[in-house]
Amino acid sequence: MDAYSVATMTYRVAAKPTAQGWDLKVGGVGRTTCSNLGEVESAARAYVVRMTGMPPERVLIEIARP
């Protein structure tokens, strides 16, 4: 299967501040962390790619702060 046959997917990310940075709960995938708010989208995308094998250009990230 090539990258162009994979549908674009949107993943909702709940970003919660912690003493060490940000806790990211990626819907349907799991949890990861990042150091600052500016890294939330890229960290979440990298996590989804690593866990699902989806091409990065097919991963859309929707960020929600509780």
Side-chain angles (χ1 to χ4, degrees):
M1 179 182 302
D2 62 49
Y4 298 104
S5 63
V6 177
T8 300
M9 295 287 296
T10 300
Y11 293 88
R12 184 172 174 85
V13 178
K16 181 179 175 183
T18 68
Q20 296 79 28
W22 290 83
D23 176 65
L24 310 178
K25 182 178 179 185
V26 183
V29 182
R31 294 183 105 90
T32 190
T33 60
C34 66
S35 299
N36 62 62
L37 189 56
E39 297 175 343
V40 170
E41 186 174 351
S42 61
R45 180 175 285 105
Y47 180 70
V48 169
V49 168
R50 185 172 59 248
M51 299 304 289
T52 66
M54 288 206 46
E57 64 275 8
R58 299 292 185 187
V59 175
L60 300 178
I61 300 296
E62 180 181 297
I63 302 168
R65 287 183 56 194

